[in-house]
Amino acid sequence: GFYPQIDSVYAGGGFTPGVGYRGRSGDQAQWNVRGLYSIKNYKLVELTAKLADVDQNLALDLRTGWRDATQVGFYGLGMATAQDDRADFRLQMSYAGGSITWHPSRWSVLVGDAQYEGYRTLSPTGSERPVEEAYTPLTAPGLGADPNYLHGSGVAAIDWRSSPGYTRSGGYYGVAFHEYVGTDQTFSFNRLDLNLVQHLPIYRETWVVSLRGRVQTTLDGDDLIPYFMMPSLGSGSTLRAYSSWRFRDRHSVLTSVEWRWIPDRPFDIAVFADAGKVVPRTQDLNLKDLRGDVGIGIRFHGLKTTPLRIEVANGTDGWQLVFAGTPAF
């Protein structure tokens, strides 16, 4: 039936409530339609369907949707940018595709995914200057382009968390390969993502130390990537003291550590620190000269979900308040 939801249309959209409707067709098929609307006029409409086999080891997911992010920030490339460098653009995206998920064993997972993605950039609706007034195709690659992609990806991972939405123990060690094939070949590129997460429970899971490491790297240095599709840092789930999309470039590295205290079942309190950077060259992917932040937050959760996360973080750009409907990692 109907249900309320707090989620995100696109990073930087602000508080985003929504409503959805779930249904079933037979014993194995589930479908879901939902709509989200943020305080910044970000919008999402999405229809998904899932078909799982009898023992739940194999699942087919289908999806189609449309999102509209009206005030996406761009600060230039690299780590030497300033908040005053911000310019905005509006990004619309339509998509349709599906994925197959297979669990060969209890802790292993393989995912194959294929999706059509159509992007369109427009003038922003907020008070910031449009990106085309502040940047050129040299400083913002792909400026003015509206690429369409066939996006294929494959994931191989070891996952022994109790749930991706909320867990106090276990870990996730995964590698993902993404191939973006542009319909006109101009902006085609490949990317490799490494994601490591480990939760270490202490004293009957009353305390939990959570660690994360993530690397995103573009594989071919000659590929032309639109500025709005480059790896980025800055958001409520990466560098939490920095505005969404604050740093962009061809490669990124991110680390996080949290000390979580569970005083009562409905909520956790966490003290955290994040550090990371974006770089133009693969050889610069190291742990030198990272930009960091520290903060504290509270998470309201169920047994397997985190419907609300509220955090405050401080970094070199100042303080940032985070509202989210998903776990940090």
Side-chain angles (χ1 to χ4, degrees):
F2 287 100
Y3 63 92
Q5 186 178 37
I6 298 175
D7 205 338
S8 174
V9 172
Y10 202 66
F15 180 68
T16 307
V19 64
Y21 186 88
R22 295 190 184 98
R24 281 184 174 273
S25 298
D27 294 334
Q28 305 300 326
Q30 306 174 26
W31 56 271
N32 179 48
V33 60
R34 63 177 184 148
L36 300 171
Y37 189 88
S38 82
I39 59 174
K40 292 185 178 181
N41 198 30
Y42 285 32
K43 299 172 284 292
L44 172 72
V45 179
E46 183 180 64
L47 171 65
T48 60
K50 181 174 183 177
L51 177 63
D53 71 353
V54 176
D55 59 6
Q56 301 296 307
N57 287 335
L58 187 68
L60 172 65
D61 293 87
L62 303 174
R63 61 189 172 275
T64 184
W66 176 81
R67 62 167 44 91
D68 181 17
T70 59
Q71 305 171 40
V72 184
F74 180 66
Y75 300 81
L77 301 181
M79 298 298 294
T81 59
Q83 286 183 294
D84 293 339
D85 296 330
R86 175 168 181 165
D88 279 7
F89 62 98
R90 182 175 186 170
L91 182 66
Q92 294 181 344
M93 173 188 176
S94 57
Y95 58 93
S99 63
I100 297 177
T101 304
W102 178 41
H103 293 268
S105 64
R106 180 181 177 185
W107 287 353
S108 60
V109 58
L110 300 173
V111 182
D113 191 286
Q115 178 169 279
Y116 167 83
E117 299 173 1
Y119 294 90
R120 186 183 181 193
T121 56
L122 304 165
S123 297
T125 61
S127 59
E128 299 287 346
R129 56 185 173 169
V131 67
E132 59 269 17
E133 293 184 4
Y135 296 92
T136 69
L138 291 177
T139 55
L143 183 66
D146 295 326
N148 299 316
Y149 287 103
L150 297 178
H151 175 196
S153 64
V155 178
I158 299 173
D159 186 1
W160 67 101
R161 300 169 295 176
S162 58
S163 169
Y166 179 76
T167 186
R168 300 180 186 177
S169 61
Y172 177 92
Y173 291 39
V175 56
F177 173 77
H178 296 267
E179 182 174 13
Y180 289 86
V181 180
T183 54
D184 64 358
Q185 299 298 318
T186 303
F187 297 103
S188 297
F189 66 96
N190 296 328
R191 195 185 77 226
L192 187 69
D193 297 351
L194 302 176
N195 194 19
L196 309 177
V197 175
Q198 184 64 59
H199 303 283
L200 304 172
I202 302 172
Y203 189 58
R204 300 178 182 177
E205 299 185 2
T206 302
W207 303 89
V208 177
V209 176
S210 297
L211 308 169
R212 169 179 59 178
R214 192 193 75 180
V215 174
Q216 294 182 321
T217 177
T218 305
L219 296 181
D220 191 333
D222 295 327
D223 286 341
L224 181 60
I225 309 172
Y227 68 95
F228 54 85
M229 298 193 69
M230 288 185 175
S232 69
L233 294 176
S235 71
S237 58
T238 56
L239 292 180
R240 282 169 271 190
Y242 299 88
S243 301
S244 296
W245 317 106
R246 177 65 175 82
F247 307 104
R248 298 179 189 257
D249 218 317
R250 298 178 68 88
H251 315 274
S252 72
V253 59
L254 172 69
T255 62
S256 298
V257 58
E258 293 191 347
W259 178 271
R260 301 177 181 179
W261 174 42
I262 300 91
D264 199 2
R265 185 171 295 276
F267 68 92
D268 299 356
I269 296 174
V271 177
F272 60 84
D274 308 309
K277 66 178 181 178
V278 297
V279 294
R281 305 181 305 169
T282 307
Q283 53 265 43
D284 296 326
L285 279 173
N286 52 48
L287 298 181
K288 298 178 181 179
D289 303 320
L290 302 182
R291 191 74 63 96
D293 63 46
V294 295
I296 188 171
I298 183 170
R299 293 86 182 268
F300 298 91
H301 62 82
L303 293 177
K304 294 185 177 182
T305 60
T306 304
L308 181 60
R309 174 167 54 94
I310 305 172
E311 297 169 337
V312 59
N314 180 256
T316 55
D317 281 359
W319 292 91
Q320 189 81 4
L321 183 63
V322 175
F323 285 93
T326 57
F329 59 89

